[in-house]
Amino acid sequence: MWISIEKVLKAETEVDFETRLKLENAVRNLEDKEILARWSKFIESKTEAGAQEEVKNLLEALVNKIKIK
Protein backbone atom coordinates (compact mmCIF):
# COMPACT_ATOMS: atom_id res chain seq x y z
CA MET A 1 0.00 0.00 0.00
CA TRP A 2 1.60 3.24 -1.16
CA ILE A 3 0.37 6.67 -0.12
CA SER A 4 1.88 9.46 -2.15
CA ILE A 5 3.43 12.50 -0.52
CA GLU A 6 1.34 14.70 -2.81
CA LYS A 7 -1.87 13.29 -1.28
CA VAL A 8 -0.76 14.03 2.27
CA LEU A 9 2.15 16.36 2.92
CA LYS A 10 1.62 18.53 -0.14
CA ALA A 11 -2.18 18.48 0.01
CA GLU A 12 -3.79 21.88 -0.34
CA THR A 13 -7.13 20.63 0.94
CA GLU A 14 -8.23 18.29 3.71
CA VAL A 15 -6.94 14.74 3.27
CA ASP A 16 -9.83 12.48 2.25
CA PHE A 17 -11.18 9.69 4.45
CA GLU A 18 -9.77 6.84 2.34
CA THR A 19 -6.25 8.26 2.49
CA ARG A 20 -6.53 8.85 6.25
CA LEU A 21 -7.66 5.24 6.68
CA LYS A 22 -4.70 3.98 4.63
CA LEU A 23 -2.36 6.06 6.79
CA GLU A 24 -3.92 4.71 9.98
CA ASN A 25 -3.52 1.13 8.76
CA ALA A 26 0.07 1.76 7.68
CA VAL A 27 0.95 3.16 11.10
CA ARG A 28 -0.69 0.22 12.88
CA ASN A 29 1.09 -2.27 10.59
CA LEU A 30 4.43 -0.90 11.78
CA GLU A 31 3.67 -2.47 15.16
CA ASP A 32 5.74 0.21 16.89
CA LYS A 33 4.35 1.50 20.19
CA GLU A 34 6.18 4.84 20.04
CA ILE A 35 5.01 5.61 16.50
CA LEU A 36 1.45 4.56 17.34
CA ALA A 37 1.49 6.81 20.42
CA ARG A 38 2.71 9.76 18.31
CA TRP A 39 0.04 9.00 15.70
CA SER A 40 -2.64 8.97 18.41
CA LYS A 41 -1.52 12.37 19.70
CA PHE A 42 -1.66 13.69 16.15
CA ILE A 43 -5.16 12.46 15.37
CA GLU A 44 -6.46 13.55 18.79
CA SER A 45 -5.24 17.13 18.30
CA LYS A 46 -7.95 19.69 18.99
CA THR A 47 -6.50 22.54 16.93
CA GLU A 48 -4.73 22.93 13.62
CA ALA A 49 -1.66 24.29 15.41
CA GLY A 50 -1.69 21.29 17.74
CA ALA A 51 -1.99 18.90 14.80
CA GLN A 52 0.91 20.61 13.03
CA GLU A 53 3.09 20.26 16.11
CA GLU A 54 2.18 16.61 16.58
CA VAL A 55 2.77 15.72 12.93
CA LYS A 56 6.27 17.21 13.25
CA ASN A 57 6.83 15.01 16.30
CA LEU A 58 5.52 11.98 14.40
CA LEU A 59 7.76 12.64 11.40
CA GLU A 60 10.76 13.17 13.69
CA ALA A 61 10.13 9.82 15.38
CA LEU A 62 9.76 8.08 12.00
CA VAL A 63 13.01 9.59 10.71
CA ASN A 64 14.83 8.59 13.90
CA LYS A 65 13.61 5.01 13.46
CA ILE A 66 14.90 5.00 9.88
CA LYS A 67 18.30 6.30 11.00
CA ILE A 68 18.63 3.51 13.56
CA LYS A 69 18.04 0.72 11.06
Side-chain angles (χ1 to χ4, degrees):
M1 165 183 22
W2 176 254
I3 304 162
S4 73
I5 289 175
E6 288 79 19
K7 280 188 142 183
V8 180
L9 296 178
K10 292 186 175 182
E12 294 186 19
T13 60
E14 185 175 324
V15 176
D16 63 78
F17 177 77
E18 183 178 328
T19 301
R20 291 193 313 260
L21 185 59
K22 286 180 183 179
L23 282 169
E24 175 92 24
N25 288 332
V27 169
R28 291 189 181 284
N29 287 339
L30 292 173
E31 298 181 355
D32 185 298
K33 289 180 183 180
E34 179 189 0
I35 299 300
L36 187 55
R38 300 273 183 168
W39 173 261
S40 293
K41 285 185 176 184
F42 165 62
I43 61 170
E44 293 168 3
S45 299
K46 303 292 184 213
T47 65
E48 185 175 340
Q52 288 176 359
E53 186 62 32
E54 292 303 335
V55 79
K56 289 179 204 176
N57 292 336
L58 174 60
L59 290 171
E60 178 181 39
L62 286 166
V63 168
N64 286 337
K65 297 281 180 175
I66 292 168
K67 286 182 186 177
I68 292 171
K69 293 182 178 186

